[in-house]
Amino acid sequence: MSEISQLMPQKVWKIFDLICSIPHISKHEAALAAELTKLAANAGLSAVTDETGNVIIKRPAAKGFENFPTVILQAHMDMVAAATGEFDFINCAISPYVENGWVKARGTTLGADDGIGVAHALSLILDRDFACGPLTVILTVDEESGMSGARNLAPEHLQGRYLLNLDGSDKGFCVGCAGGARQETTFIPEYETAASGKAVQITVDGLPGGHSGICIHDNRGNALKILAEFLDREPDIRLNRINGGTADNAIPYFAEAVGITGKDIGKLQAAADACTMLIKKELPHAQNLTLTVKEIADIPEKVWQKNFTSNLLNAMMLVPNEVIDFDDTLNIVKTSSNLATIRTFDDKVVIRTSQRSLVDEDREKISAAIATHFQLFNGESEMGDIYPATPPKMSGQLLQTTIECAKKVGKTPVSPYAIHAGLESGWFFMKNPDLEIITCGPDHIDLHTPEERLNIASVGEFDRFLRELLPALGN
Ligand SMILES: [Zn+2]
């Protein structure tokens, strides 16, 4: 037991303290799931673990609430592993402590994302003195690394009218999220022997990058596009390879190409400088951009044929990117695409893109359009993982009651909003489109970093809010 088990409300903090004591990063949630199932079973509740490892706990309606619809409280058990130094997340417990009104962990992520959601849900279903309608608690695995828990959850567990996804923050009530898709496109290079010249490396660096859902509307600049545009203007550079970008869900801040040129390096750098100046004028976020051309010792033996190079550069330059469609009512991006990475292998060049949309059909359309685009330049696309959207719904009984109850307990802000990123709720809505879904939670910040922390007062406030809301969700 750590000092956080003494915080108020104790019912919530004791469970969160227990969660911290059992290692539970993504794909290693079994020990925690077993402990939580035991807690529920000991309290006389029906608790099962499904084949994927999700825990489902059910409690019938309390006396006087028999006619109430089922409410589902849902949170994910897994946490992200990030530490300031070496840390064995598989075998070692998180060590939480209190600091200036916040709970933090020593040197690691705290796992309040989403352990505190789990603790809130369990504290209510285990509390015999808390009366409400029929309650289901769903605790999923693997949210942070692919959402396989939500994806594989049987629809029978999602019978109910209202679902509260407790993986949110206190920024209001999230009523919708984007779905997403990943796509991989392969180009087969044709090579020829290199003519004589100097080996040259062209590097784009210093862009801000960022999350391709949350930051895609920011005009941050895309290193792959900038590099392709520069190389297209310098056809004397005969290319051997291009690499860049870090992950499907990140805006690329870095890219580099290697080739052979007969041109003067100084002149190429001057052209690169002119190009950089122009981009900086257009993109306020790109003030640290660098585009450098330098001679390197290692001369490639072969280079791409001109036709292949021009196809690849055109494919990169012209592919639809960033904001495709904007939702003016919600004031967020509706549909977007991210030209994410390019990798050169011996026998192929692979480009990865990812698409997101609040509307699944729109996402499918833009994914198909991008595949057709790449095909025009001899690229072969294959769809990867997809996850569905929760279409934002700005009305409904759940939202109305939620706002009323939040106001009663003084929880602010109460405004509904949607996000251009994915949540597990997309899968739940797909399996039961009759569900009204809201994502909310207490105040926790710096998620996915060793600075992650949870505001103590907001946990009490969120507990009061849930205790007000659930008995109010009648017919
Ligand atoms: Zn989360």
Side-chain angles (χ1 to χ4, degrees), residues 168-337:
S169 70
D170 71 336
K171 292 179 181 56
F173 297 106
C174 181
V175 294
C177 66
R182 289 150 194 237
Q183 198 174 130
E184 182 170 297
T185 306
T186 304
F187 297 82
I188 307 296
E190 294 144 46
Y191 287 98
E192 58 189 42
T193 313
S196 62
K198 296 178 280 274
V200 68
Q201 182 182 48
I202 306 97
T203 307
V204 174
D205 203 354
L207 291 169
H211 188 275
S212 69
I214 293 153
C215 311
I216 200 77
H217 59 286
D218 265 358
N219 253 332
R220 294 183 168 214
N222 181 305
L224 273 53
K225 287 237 169 199
I226 290 172
L227 182 60
E229 276 157 27
F230 177 71
L231 295 172
D232 187 59
R233 269 185 245 136
E234 298 294 342
D236 291 330
I237 303 176
R238 299 298 308 278
L239 295 171
N240 165 271
R241 58 183 181 271
I242 305 180
N243 291 297
T246 51
D248 293 347
N249 64 356
I251 299 167
Y253 59 85
F254 173 87
E256 65 171 28
V258 168
I260 293 179
T261 185
K263 255 189 152 178
D264 178 69
I265 302 283
K267 279 188 181 151
L268 281 172
Q269 184 61 57
D273 291 344
C275 181
T276 310
M277 258 181 41
L278 276 177
I279 296 167
K280 284 185 180 176
K281 267 189 197 158
E282 271 173 40
L283 304 177
H285 287 296
Q287 297 312 304
N288 295 324
L289 169 71
T290 56
L291 181 46
T292 44
V293 183
K294 75 168 189 201
E295 187 172 351
I296 54 172
D298 209 0
I299 299 180
E301 280 172 17
K302 52 186 187 173
V303 292
W304 290 337
Q305 285 188 2
K306 281 192 170 170
N307 211 12
F308 174 79
T309 305
S310 118
N311 267 334
L312 185 70
L313 296 179
N314 276 305
M316 291 167 74
M317 284 188 297
L318 301 174
V319 68
N321 196 51
E322 299 186 338
V323 178
I324 312 282
D325 200 358
F326 197 84
D327 189 316
D328 291 317
T329 320
L330 297 167
N331 198 29
I332 62 164
V333 178
K334 186 178 179 192
T335 306
S336 72
S337 184

Side-chain angles (χ1 to χ4, degrees), residues 18 68 122 152 157 161 174 178 210 267 270 355 406 431 437 468:
L18 171 76
F68 275 49
L122 274 176
N152 295 328
H157 298 309
R161 189 181 311 163
C174 181
K267 279 188 181 151
Q355 292 79 49
K431 291 165 203 251
I437 303 177
E468 189 75 32

Side-chain angles (χ1 to χ4, degrees), residues 76 113-114 143-144 167 447-448:
H76 66 86
D113 174 13
D114 189 22
E143 190 270 348
E144 304 284 4
D167 191 19
L447 312 189
H448 302 191

